[in-house]
Amino acid sequence: MAEDAPQPHDRENDDADDEPYELATEDPADVPGFLGRAIAALEGTDDDAEFEGVDFYSTQGVRFVVTAAYDSDVVEASGPLGRRIIDYASEVRDALRDAWGAPETHEPRLVGEEREPEGILDYLMLSMGFASAELWDRGAYFVALVTRWTGEPEASDLHQLAFALSRDTMMRGMSAFIDDGDTRHPRLMRGELPEELHRRAWLLSTMFDRGEARLRGAPIEASRTNLLRQDGVTTTWVFADDGRQLLLFRDPECRFARMLDALEDDERLGLTARMLQGVPSDLLACLTAPGEGPRGVAEHALEFAALDGALLPRITGAYWFDGESWISPEVFVELAYQHGLDLEEFGFRAAVARPLRIGGDFTTDDFAPQADPAAPDAEQRRSLVEAVFAGCPYPAQPRPEGDVRLGYGLPEGLTPEAVTEGIDRLTRAWWTQEVPVKALSEGEEHEAFRIGRIDFFGETGDREVHAALLLGDPWVVDAVQEWTTRLDRRLCERWGEAGVVRAHDRQTGELIKSPMTRFLRGGGFESARIWWVNGHALLLCAGYSDDDEYGDRPVALMAVCKLDAVAALFGGMRHWEPWWRGRVVEELQIAMATGSFDGDGARTVPWAGPSLPGSGARGEAVVPEARRIVLRSGGFAWIWYRTHDRRGLIVACDRQGPEPTAEEIAARFAGVPEDLLSLVRDRDQHGVVPVVPTAQGALPAATAVLWADGLDWRASPGTVREVYDASVIDDVDPLEMLLSQRFGVAQLRVLLRMGVPLTAAALADPEYGRFMLGRAAAPEEVATSLAGFRAPAEAALTGTLDELLDVQLEAPEWRFLLDAVLSNRDPRARRELALWLLGATQSGAEGLDASGQFSFMTPVNVLLGNPTLDDGDADVLQALADHGADLGFGLLGETGGIDPAAQLNRRAAAGATVDRLREVLQEAAGPAPA
């Protein structure tokens, strides 16, 4: 044989694994016979194995073998060896076709709302990157041949594999891999004994239906109960004398029922037939067997329909008890996997758990309380209920105890001890930044953020993660309380007595704005217990939530927050209110020093920030300059930057403190976004604070660094670490330390008069002046500091974006500002204002709605009527179109409206360049009719 001819991989040779190619046989024509022999020889084994010197691999009950492969880094595809292997792979396909006939083409399928693989072959193909397979039905088994290139065909790596699947594995989808443990549900009935379930079903059927029926003509001795509610929720229970039970139910409002409603009737019934597979036939026969109860011939509560001559009940759930365990059909596990369904979404809670109060008490008081004897017919109702309970032939059983009463509302193994150890592990990993936490908000998972079967995730990305630990029911609220009390006690033993945090300020009633309070309000709670754990805040909420997601159910929620995610640095102020207060205070300090209003007290600063949404589409991208102010009080100075995109940066500097090192400064600024860092890096601070050279450039000598992320104010990671370390040394609450005078936050909050309206009286308060300004401000100085700020509408019409943001306290949804902005005669100001106002970052995900019309002129008419209009406004016109503005005659039509095209013609006649503006109008109008 030629030296470069490919040969089968030699497993007897230890060096063979280093070969850059693999072939299953010497002759591709031998592959069909080789696969047949191997499948027969390896049947019944699950481990990787060797056959005739070739490795066969096993995964999930599927065997596969590499029939042909090569590494393109070693084997040149165009060379003799590469060409021969490529031909070999092609000849394998031909040989299989010749031996077994034409194959079916199989492409991997994703099914269900969770878009999960339909079968194991789909799963393997997707995980290995194969787009299609050639599939042969060999009777007892299937063979799938897959071939792929890692890049360009016949130039990159080649992989060809053959999969062998049993018929059962192929035809049953993912349910073929469901084992006995997956279908047995030891906590389904929350520790209730079968006899107690029989008793409760008898009582409910007797009180609210036709009572228990003894079956006649059934293959076993058994009885049957029904419960049909007015909302259509139906429960049918078969109790065999040998101790076995069959439970069928239907909840027409559950999620699975809605999925069934979307199917054709034959498909629904076919799925029902699968749902009943595995149910013992003698139990199943009891469903349709005639019976007689205390009110005569028993009626069927469930609706039945025929499929292929068989009567099938219309159900959303089925379980049976085999004398030891409650069992579900395999298809339930498969459907739950594919569609992300839990027990309740099949209707179990509505049809079984709630009416039978599983895990809770079931007494006369639950149906006829003694608390209100004055209620109409209360005495008579209680007498009837007592009579039914007294007549029940099945005695009450001992009550279950412990966590089993919580059923699957408490994930298996989630003990207070496990939670405590998990939180310790989570916080240590987060503190050392071993985990890319931002990914948690994007649906990714990480082992460090998993406690048992609970995954903590964070909607805010990198500052707060949370999870629901426990979801209970009203009738087991005592068990919920007992578990959460044990958890609380264990947390206190580990990390000391807990504090309390609230969503609203207890003195002012003002909503505190922070990731922590969003967690509280999102979970429907006003307060939480808090511990400090490894630099993080640990929050626990338990009880009844106001959130509709949990309804009337008690819940235990837990969150882990970064230190600064608990603090609301500026309380419940509106978004730009702190900046407005800072501008006023700065002007007051200038007035007290000079006697006049310095409208340019805030300086503009160019920076490497993002452009305005919509700019650059038709013209030059616009990046508004940032705004800078300086505040001083005592030994502290604050350099404050405000940007157009709802963000900002505050550098707090203790000018009387020790001089920081370059390493300390670099650590304090670490974690600040690069574009915000461009505001201070290598900038002259005009003597306000020293500048320290660092490896990242010259930076201000900061004591603390705070920055706004568009939603909240936060501390830099370096500042958070210093705060926490100082709190440990001084043995004080970390939150108190962050908001203390040591880091300048306490003084800044007082300087801004946080917690009181910023009025002339507040600024002129003598005590405030002496402590914060060096002396009390005179009335005329206060008046001077306030007089220079324009109203928002005036700033929009004749001012700049900076002037509007100085007085705009919250993101504007005010449509009326738009016409004022479009009438602004300063081209740069108009464009910045309009694009900012329309931009999604200011007005929500879809931006400001520009479709409204406040006069005979549309917003487009207002813009095109501006005497300083030119092609530089093309981005503004495009943004108006994108946000719904009418580019035609408007509400008045051609008779009373203004033609935008005519407006452009007049502007062009006046010498303005309007070519790009015309393009916007023409594209919006579409192609001219033929």
Side-chain angles (χ1 to χ4, degrees), residues 216-245:
R216 294 181 284 104
I220 55 174
E221 295 294 322
S223 59
R224 186 175 63 227
T225 66
N226 291 319
L227 183 64
L228 173 60
R229 296 195 335 218
Q230 291 181 344
D231 58 4
V233 176
T234 309
T235 311
T236 293
W237 217 305
V238 172
F239 299 97
D241 289 0
D242 61 11
R244 293 179 299 153
Q245 299 181 13

mmCIF file of all heavy atoms in Angstrom, residues 216-245:
data_model
loop_
_atom_site.group_PDB
_atom_site.id
_atom_site.type_symbol
_atom_site.label_atom_id
_atom_site.label_comp_id
_atom_site.label_asym_id
_atom_site.label_seq_id
_atom_site.Cartn_x
_atom_site.Cartn_y
_atom_site.Cartn_z
ATOM 1 N N ARG A 216 -69.287 -1.327 39.801
ATOM 2 C CA ARG A 216 -69.794 -2.647 39.424
ATOM 3 C C ARG A 216 -69.211 -3.033 38.067
ATOM 4 O O ARG A 216 -69.116 -2.225 37.167
ATOM 5 C CB ARG A 216 -71.328 -2.622 39.333
ATOM 6 C CG ARG A 216 -72.022 -2.388 40.665
ATOM 7 C CD ARG A 216 -73.539 -2.398 40.525
ATOM 8 N NE ARG A 216 -74.043 -1.156 39.940
ATOM 9 C CZ ARG A 216 -74.450 -1.025 38.694
ATOM 10 N NH1 ARG A 216 -74.387 -2.049 37.860
ATOM 11 N NH2 ARG A 216 -74.919 0.134 38.246
ATOM 12 N N GLY A 217 -68.836 -4.270 37.931
ATOM 13 C CA GLY A 217 -68.314 -4.745 36.659
ATOM 14 C C GLY A 217 -66.883 -4.349 36.379
ATOM 15 O O GLY A 217 -66.373 -4.607 35.281
ATOM 16 N N ALA A 218 -66.207 -3.723 37.334
ATOM 17 C CA ALA A 218 -64.800 -3.367 37.156
ATOM 18 C C ALA A 218 -63.927 -4.595 37.393
ATOM 19 O O ALA A 218 -64.332 -5.528 38.109
ATOM 20 C CB ALA A 218 -64.411 -2.250 38.118
ATOM 21 N N PRO A 219 -62.743 -4.655 36.803
ATOM 22 C CA PRO A 219 -61.878 -5.823 36.991
ATOM 23 C C PRO A 219 -61.344 -5.964 38.418
ATOM 24 O O PRO A 219 -60.802 -7.012 38.770
ATOM 25 C CB PRO A 219 -60.737 -5.590 35.997
ATOM 26 C CG PRO A 219 -60.746 -4.126 35.744
ATOM 27 C CD PRO A 219 -62.160 -3.676 35.864
ATOM 28 N N ILE A 220 -61.462 -4.919 39.228
ATOM 29 C CA ILE A 220 -61.014 -4.974 40.624
ATOM 30 C C ILE A 220 -62.082 -4.348 41.498
ATOM 31 O O ILE A 220 -62.952 -3.602 41.030
ATOM 32 C CB ILE A 220 -59.675 -4.224 40.820
ATOM 33 C CG1 ILE A 220 -59.797 -2.780 40.311
ATOM 34 C CG2 ILE A 220 -58.520 -4.947 40.142
ATOM 35 C CD1 ILE A 220 -58.573 -1.934 40.596
ATOM 36 N N GLU A 221 -62.013 -4.639 42.789
ATOM 37 C CA GLU A 221 -62.929 -4.027 43.752
ATOM 38 C C GLU A 221 -62.434 -2.595 43.999
ATOM 39 O O GLU A 221 -61.278 -2.402 44.414
ATOM 40 C CB GLU A 221 -62.950 -4.821 45.057
ATOM 41 C CG GLU A 221 -63.505 -6.231 44.910
ATOM 42 C CD GLU A 221 -64.975 -6.197 44.550
ATOM 43 O OE1 GLU A 221 -65.710 -5.330 45.073
ATOM 44 O OE2 GLU A 221 -65.392 -7.037 43.723
ATOM 45 N N ALA A 222 -63.312 -1.629 43.750
ATOM 46 C CA ALA A 222 -62.871 -0.237 43.870
ATOM 47 C C ALA A 222 -64.067 0.689 43.999
ATOM 48 O O ALA A 222 -65.215 0.304 43.750
ATOM 49 C CB ALA A 222 -62.032 0.162 42.656
ATOM 50 N N SER A 223 -63.776 1.931 44.383
ATOM 51 C CA SER A 223 -64.788 2.988 44.432
ATOM 52 C C SER A 223 -64.245 4.209 43.710
ATOM 53 O O SER A 223 -63.039 4.299 43.422
ATOM 54 C CB SER A 223 -65.153 3.333 45.879
ATOM 55 O OG SER A 223 -63.999 3.769 46.586
ATOM 56 N N ARG A 224 -65.138 5.146 43.425
ATOM 57 C CA ARG A 224 -64.744 6.327 42.647
ATOM 58 C C ARG A 224 -65.439 7.556 43.213
ATOM 59 O O ARG A 224 -66.622 7.510 43.588
ATOM 60 C CB ARG A 224 -65.132 6.132 41.179
ATOM 61 C CG ARG A 224 -64.633 7.233 40.239
ATOM 62 C CD ARG A 224 -64.950 6.894 38.784
ATOM 63 N NE ARG A 224 -66.380 6.811 38.525
ATOM 64 C CZ ARG A 224 -66.971 5.828 37.856
ATOM 65 N NH1 ARG A 224 -66.253 4.809 37.381
ATOM 66 N NH2 ARG A 224 -68.282 5.830 37.659
ATOM 67 N N THR A 225 -64.699 8.662 43.303
ATOM 68 C CA THR A 225 -65.283 9.944 43.720
ATOM 69 C C THR A 225 -65.061 10.976 42.629
ATOM 70 O O THR A 225 -64.077 10.904 41.872
ATOM 71 C CB THR A 225 -64.663 10.471 45.029
ATOM 72 O OG1 THR A 225 -63.288 10.784 44.801
ATOM 73 C CG2 THR A 225 -64.788 9.453 46.150
ATOM 74 N N ASN A 226 -65.963 11.930 42.557
ATOM 75 C CA ASN A 226 -65.834 13.042 41.603
ATOM 76 C C ASN A 226 -66.000 14.352 42.333
ATOM 77 O O ASN A 226 -66.692 14.439 43.367
ATOM 78 C CB ASN A 226 -66.916 12.957 40.513
ATOM 79 C CG ASN A 226 -66.703 11.788 39.576
ATOM 80 O OD1 ASN A 226 -65.580 11.497 39.193
ATOM 81 N ND2 ASN A 226 -67.789 11.109 39.219
ATOM 82 N N LEU A 227 -65.377 15.375 41.784
ATOM 83 C CA LEU A 227 -65.599 16.738 42.268
ATOM 84 C C LEU A 227 -65.563 17.656 41.062
ATOM 85 O O LEU A 227 -64.520 17.843 40.436
ATOM 86 C CB LEU A 227 -64.519 17.149 43.280
ATOM 87 C CG LEU A 227 -64.710 18.540 43.900
ATOM 88 C CD1 LEU A 227 -65.992 18.597 44.720
ATOM 89 C CD2 LEU A 227 -63.508 18.913 44.772
ATOM 90 N N LEU A 228 -66.732 18.201 40.714
ATOM 91 C CA LEU A 228 -66.848 19.113 39.577
ATOM 92 C C LEU A 228 -67.235 20.478 40.096
ATOM 93 O O LEU A 228 -68.299 20.654 40.695
ATOM 94 C CB LEU A 228 -67.902 18.601 38.592
ATOM 95 C CG LEU A 228 -68.253 19.535 37.423
ATOM 96 C CD1 LEU A 228 -67.014 19.833 36.576
ATOM 97 C CD2 LEU A 228 -69.347 18.920 36.568
ATOM 98 N N ARG A 229 -66.354 21.453 39.885
ATOM 99 C CA ARG A 229 -66.619 22.801 40.382
ATOM 100 C C ARG A 229 -67.286 23.631 39.304
ATOM 101 O O ARG A 229 -67.273 23.295 38.118
ATOM 102 C CB ARG A 229 -65.303 23.464 40.826
ATOM 103 C CG ARG A 229 -64.655 22.751 41.981
ATOM 104 C CD ARG A 229 -63.571 23.535 42.674
ATOM 105 N NE ARG A 229 -62.909 24.549 41.879
ATOM 106 C CZ ARG A 229 -61.604 24.818 41.961
ATOM 107 N NH1 ARG A 229 -60.843 24.095 42.757
ATOM 108 N NH2 ARG A 229 -61.057 25.778 41.243
ATOM 109 N N GLN A 230 -67.836 24.776 39.726
ATOM 110 C CA GLN A 230 -68.531 25.649 38.786
ATOM 111 C C GLN A 230 -67.603 26.225 37.730
ATOM 112 O O GLN A 230 -68.036 26.563 36.630
ATOM 113 C CB GLN A 230 -69.225 26.789 39.547
ATOM 114 C CG GLN A 230 -70.400 26.324 40.389
ATOM 115 C CD GLN A 230 -71.071 27.487 41.098
ATOM 116 O OE1 GLN A 230 -70.503 28.574 41.201
ATOM 117 N NE2 GLN A 230 -72.287 27.281 41.587
ATOM 118 N N ASP A 231 -66.310 26.366 38.043
ATOM 119 C CA ASP A 231 -65.361 26.907 37.069
ATOM 120 C C ASP A 231 -64.844 25.848 36.108
ATOM 121 O O ASP A 231 -63.951 26.107 35.300
ATOM 122 C CB ASP A 231 -64.194 27.595 37.777
ATOM 123 C CG ASP A 231 -63.444 26.672 38.718
ATOM 124 O OD1 ASP A 231 -63.774 25.467 38.765
ATOM 125 O OD2 ASP A 231 -62.528 27.157 39.417
ATOM 126 N N GLY A 232 -65.407 24.632 36.201
ATOM 127 C CA GLY A 232 -65.011 23.572 35.276
ATOM 128 C C GLY A 232 -63.863 22.718 35.737
ATOM 129 O O GLY A 232 -63.523 21.723 35.082
ATOM 130 N N VAL A 233 -63.221 23.066 36.853
ATOM 131 C CA VAL A 233 -62.136 22.246 37.377
ATOM 132 C C VAL A 233 -62.730 20.927 37.890
ATOM 133 O O VAL A 233 -63.665 20.928 38.688
ATOM 134 C CB VAL A 233 -61.378 22.969 38.499
ATOM 135 C CG1 VAL A 233 -60.318 22.057 39.100
ATOM 136 C CG2 VAL A 233 -60.738 24.242 37.969
ATOM 137 N N THR A 234 -62.185 19.818 37.408
ATOM 138 C CA THR A 234 -62.763 18.501 37.683
ATOM 139 C C THR A 234 -61.692 17.570 38.239
ATOM 140 O O THR A 234 -60.555 17.554 37.755
ATOM 141 C CB THR A 234 -63.332 17.890 36.391
ATOM 142 O OG1 THR A 234 -64.185 18.849 35.763
ATOM 143 C CG2 THR A 234 -64.124 16.635 36.692
ATOM 144 N N THR A 235 -62.088 16.800 39.257
ATOM 145 C CA THR A 235 -61.187 15.814 39.854
ATOM 146 C C THR A 235 -61.917 14.485 39.966
ATOM 147 O O THR A 235 -63.019 14.424 40.526
ATOM 148 C CB THR A 235 -60.734 16.257 41.253
ATOM 149 O OG1 THR A 235 -60.270 17.605 41.201
ATOM 150 C CG2 THR A 235 -59.620 15.359 41.766
ATOM 151 N N THR A 236 -61.317 13.430 39.440
ATOM 152 C CA THR A 236 -61.859 12.076 39.566
ATOM 153 C C THR A 236 -60.814 11.198 40.230
ATOM 154 O O THR A 236 -59.645 11.203 39.812
ATOM 155 C CB THR A 236 -62.246 11.508 38.197
ATOM 156 O OG1 THR A 236 -63.352 12.246 37.670
ATOM 157 C CG2 THR A 236 -62.636 10.040 38.309
ATOM 158 N N TRP A 237 -61.271 10.451 41.243
ATOM 159 C CA TRP A 237 -60.344 9.657 42.034
ATOM 160 C C TRP A 237 -60.871 8.229 42.105
ATOM 161 O O TRP A 237 -62.037 7.996 42.437
ATOM 162 C CB TRP A 237 -60.257 10.227 43.451
ATOM 163 C CG TRP A 237 -58.897 10.166 44.063
ATOM 164 C CD1 TRP A 237 -58.121 9.063 44.206
ATOM 165 C CD2 TRP A 237 -58.158 11.243 44.629
ATOM 166 N NE1 TRP A 237 -56.930 9.379 44.815
ATOM 167 C CE2 TRP A 237 -56.923 10.716 45.103
ATOM 168 C CE3 TRP A 237 -58.397 12.596 44.802
ATOM 169 C CZ2 TRP A 237 -55.961 11.488 45.725
ATOM 170 C CZ3 TRP A 237 -57.440 13.372 45.420
ATOM 171 C CH2 TRP A 237 -56.228 12.833 45.868
ATOM 172 N N VAL A 238 -60.023 7.260 41.780
ATOM 173 C CA VAL A 238 -60.357 5.846 41.905
ATOM 174 C C VAL A 238 -59.566 5.262 43.072
ATOM 175 O O VAL A 238 -58.341 5.423 43.132
ATOM 176 C CB VAL A 238 -60.037 5.072 40.612
ATOM 177 C CG1 VAL A 238 -60.210 3.562 40.823
ATOM 178 C CG2 VAL A 238 -60.914 5.553 39.466
ATOM 179 N N PHE A 239 -60.285 4.609 43.997
ATOM 180 C CA PHE A 239 -59.654 3.989 45.156
ATOM 181 C C PHE A 239 -59.874 2.479 45.086
ATOM 182 O O PHE A 239 -61.005 1.997 45.233
ATOM 183 C CB PHE A 239 -60.249 4.538 46.461
ATOM 184 C CG PHE A 239 -60.067 6.011 46.623
ATOM 185 C CD1 PHE A 239 -61.091 6.898 46.270
ATOM 186 C CD2 PHE A 239 -58.887 6.532 47.116
ATOM 187 C CE1 PHE A 239 -60.931 8.263 46.409
ATOM 188 C CE2 PHE A 239 -58.722 7.907 47.268
ATOM 189 C CZ PHE A 239 -59.735 8.774 46.897
ATOM 190 N N ALA A 240 -58.821 1.738 44.794
ATOM 191 C CA ALA A 240 -58.912 0.280 44.751
ATOM 192 C C ALA A 240 -58.811 -0.269 46.164
ATOM 193 O O ALA A 240 -58.101 0.275 47.020
ATOM 194 C CB ALA A 240 -57.802 -0.287 43.879
ATOM 195 N N ASP A 241 -59.514 -1.376 46.400
ATOM 196 C CA ASP A 241 -59.487 -1.972 47.728
ATOM 197 C C ASP A 241 -58.106 -2.492 48.099
ATOM 198 O O ASP A 241 -57.818 -2.700 49.288
ATOM 199 C CB ASP A 241 -60.508 -3.120 47.809
ATOM 200 C CG ASP A 241 -61.945 -2.610 47.801
ATOM 201 O OD1 ASP A 241 -62.132 -1.374 47.729
ATOM 202 O OD2 ASP A 241 -62.883 -3.438 47.845
ATOM 203 N N ASP A 242 -57.255 -2.721 47.106
ATOM 204 C CA ASP A 242 -55.904 -3.215 47.401
ATOM 205 C C ASP A 242 -54.936 -2.102 47.773
ATOM 206 O O ASP A 242 -53.741 -2.329 47.937
ATOM 207 C CB ASP A 242 -55.364 -4.031 46.221
ATOM 208 C CG ASP A 242 -55.251 -3.202 44.932
ATOM 209 O OD1 ASP A 242 -55.397 -1.961 44.991
ATOM 210 O OD2 ASP A 242 -55.027 -3.799 43.853
ATOM 211 N N GLY A 243 -55.445 -0.858 47.906
ATOM 212 C CA GLY A 243 -54.612 0.268 48.348
ATOM 213 C C GLY A 243 -54.106 1.157 47.238
ATOM 214 O O GLY A 243 -53.565 2.241 47.488
ATOM 215 N N ARG A 244 -54.270 0.732 45.998
ATOM 216 C CA ARG A 244 -53.825 1.583 44.893
ATOM 217 C C ARG A 244 -54.854 2.675 44.614
ATOM 218 O O ARG A 244 -56.034 2.549 44.972
ATOM 219 C CB ARG A 244 -53.595 0.737 43.640
ATOM 220 C CG ARG A 244 -52.427 -0.238 43.743
ATOM 221 C CD ARG A 244 -52.293 -1.058 42.473
ATOM 222 N NE ARG A 244 -53.479 -1.856 42.214
ATOM 223 C CZ ARG A 244 -53.872 -2.253 41.009
ATOM 224 N NH1 ARG A 244 -53.173 -1.913 39.927
ATOM 225 N NH2 ARG A 244 -54.975 -2.980 40.862
ATOM 226 N N GLN A 245 -54.392 3.754 43.952
ATOM 227 C CA GLN A 245 -55.279 4.870 43.634
ATOM 228 C C GLN A 245 -54.947 5.408 42.246
ATOM 229 O O GLN A 245 -53.801 5.315 41.789
ATOM 230 C CB GLN A 245 -55.142 5.999 44.673
ATOM 231 C CG GLN A 245 -55.506 5.593 46.081
ATOM 232 C CD GLN A 245 -55.389 6.746 47.072
ATOM 233 O OE1 GLN A 245 -55.274 7.905 46.679
ATOM 234 N NE2 GLN A 245 -55.418 6.420 48.357
#
